[in-house]
Amino acid sequence: MKTIVISLFAILAGTSFAMAADSGCDTFKWPVAREQALFAAAPAAQSGAALTVGQAMDFTLAAVDTISFEVPPDRAPAAGTFGATASIVVPPEGELQVSLSDEAWIDIVQDGHAVKSAGFSGVKTCPGIRKSVRFKLSAGPATVQLSGSKKADLKVAVLTPE
């Protein structure tokens, strides 16, 4: 009888661990391990900073009503929230993956227009990373607009999709 109880416990424990892993970072539509590693050592940045593909920054956000967005955010930010802008040079491949440590809205503006996202993945149970959004862009300069954050700090990673 002990063997059966211990075996049943081992099966249930294994199932619980698997379910816990599935409810965390593994449930993103694509891997986010690179972002997690970059977030751990992200240097501080202010609104207006230049982002580099393959790196992360730890932004100190400003009150959203004090930010001069190039175009109005696609989702109007609530009063009392925070935001920032950053410049980036899009590589010739044109695909970017922007990941955030917490909830906020991401717009990428290129040639004076907001570019619709090509993919989105978000998980509330992954420590240190909340969402990841993919964009198909033209090579050249672009502006990343962050808005609607309830917190005054936000880590942002910009990578090419795996």
Side-chain angles (χ1 to χ4, degrees):
M1 181 69 169
K2 282 185 180 178
T3 304
I4 294 171
V5 171
I6 291 171
S7 295
L8 182 59
F9 175 76
I11 290 168
L12 292 174
T15 302
S16 295
F17 291 133
M19 288 171 57
D22 286 343
S23 67
C25 304
D26 292 342
T27 58
F28 273 96
K29 292 178 185 174
W30 45 78
V32 294
R34 296 181 302 163
E35 290 88 335
Q36 289 176 306
L38 289 170
F39 284 169
Q46 301 291 323
S47 185
L51 285 166
T52 301
V53 177
Q55 295 184 339
M57 302 287 267
D58 187 355
F59 278 89
T60 298
L61 306 177
V64 77
D65 58 352
T66 67
I67 302 293
S68 294
F69 292 111
E70 191 173 328
V71 299
D74 194 42
R75 179 178 289 173
T81 60
F82 300 92
T85 62
S87 62
I88 190 153
V89 176
V90 180
E93 302 81 42
E95 288 191 71
L96 292 182
Q97 180 172 303
V98 181
S99 301
L100 305 180
S101 61
D102 215 323
E103 292 188 29
W105 187 257
I106 305 168
D107 287 300
I108 294 191
V109 179
Q110 197 169 45
D111 299 324
H113 297 51
V115 177
K116 295 290 181 193
S117 65
F120 167 84
S121 189
V123 175
K124 293 184 178 185
T125 56
C126 178
I129 184 164
R130 170 63 181 89
K131 73 190 291 185
S132 186
V133 183
R134 290 182 173 175
F135 296 89
K136 290 187 179 184
L137 304 155
S138 301
T143 301
V144 177
Q145 297 184 163
L146 307 167
S147 60
S149 175
K150 293 179 182 176
K151 296 180 180 178
D153 63 305
L154 184 69
K155 292 181 182 177
V156 179
V158 181
L159 301 166
T160 54
E162 290 185 287

